[in-house]
Amino acid sequence: VKHLVRGIDHVTQAVNWVSMTALFVIMGLTIAGIIARLLGMPISGITNLSESLLVVAIYLSIAYTQQKKQHVAVEFLLGSLSPRKRRALEIVNLIIPLVICSVVVTTSWDYAVHSWEIREKMDGAPFYPIYPPKIAVAVGVSLLEIQLFADLFREIFLKHINHRTGQ
């Protein structure tokens, strides 16, 4: 089971690379758009494409942010708790997002599949499809839920085992 948790960590890191690549593509598109405009040859649709890529960049990185524990936390409150109470609170802080994330995962996949089925497109020219960013949202929150499960498992079982064995 430890290998499964590590595998989830590796998948999360790989997907984060896709997210970072999307950010670099956005930067490249922005620079190309500026240069093209300065040369009097504006490129149609760069803003729409950048918006779609921004959704990809954000949602494909949230599981990695969870994995690295870089979400906002109230440290001064946690620091005043005993280790046992802090651990209990950390477990609760994983269970609550898991419940909420389950609803978001279900809903986002419903929207993504529907958008795919009707081949939904943005208004304006050129008509970029909307379903890829919607699929990225569904994949991103699904990966977040999987990462939350891995973190919960790690918090409950692996830290308990490591604590008993002195590791």
Side-chain angles (χ1 to χ4, degrees):
V1 177
K2 252 186 193 179
H3 297 295
L4 179 62
V5 171
R6 284 188 187 145
I8 291 168
D9 289 344
H10 290 301
V11 169
T12 298
Q13 290 169 359
V15 171
N16 189 57
W17 277 99
V18 174
S19 173
M20 289 188 297
T21 301
L23 286 175
F24 280 106
V25 171
I26 291 169
M27 287 188 281
L29 287 172
T30 302
I31 291 167
I34 291 169
I35 292 170
R37 215 173 321 126
L38 290 174
L39 296 174
M41 301 178 297
I43 303 170
S44 179
I46 283 187
T47 302
N48 292 347
L49 184 56
S50 293
E51 289 171 354
S52 293
L53 287 171
L54 188 58
V55 171
V56 170
I58 291 169
Y59 279 91
L60 293 186
S61 66
I62 57 175
Y64 182 77
T65 305
Q66 170 62 34
Q67 179 190 70
K68 296 300 179 185
K69 307 288 185 250
Q70 294 182 345
H71 289 291
V72 176
V74 185
E75 293 294 327
F76 72 89
L77 180 67
L78 291 175
S80 65
L81 297 175
S82 68
R84 187 177 200 149
K85 287 181 182 177
R86 186 178 317 146
R87 186 164 179 261
L89 186 60
E90 287 174 3
I91 290 170
V92 169
N93 282 338
L94 289 168
I95 292 171
I96 292 171
L98 265 170
V99 171
I100 294 168
C101 208
S102 296
V103 174
V104 175
V105 165
T106 304
T107 305
S108 63
W109 276 111
D110 288 344
Y111 282 126
V113 168
H114 180 264
S115 184
W116 169 267
E117 290 172 344
I118 65 172
R119 299 294 194 259
E120 190 175 9
K121 297 190 183 331
M122 290 181 186
D123 291 334
F127 298 103
Y128 284 112
I130 292 178
Y131 55 87
K134 286 188 177 183
I135 292 170
V137 169
V139 168
V141 292
S142 296
L143 288 171
L144 175 60
E145 184 168 37
I146 292 167
Q147 186 64 52
L148 286 165
F149 271 119
D151 290 348
L152 183 63
F153 182 84
R154 190 180 288 119
E155 189 67 39
I156 292 172
F157 298 109
L158 296 183
K159 282 190 178 180
H160 178 70
I161 291 169
N162 289 344
H163 181 68
R164 284 192 343 187
T165 60
Q167 295 177 352

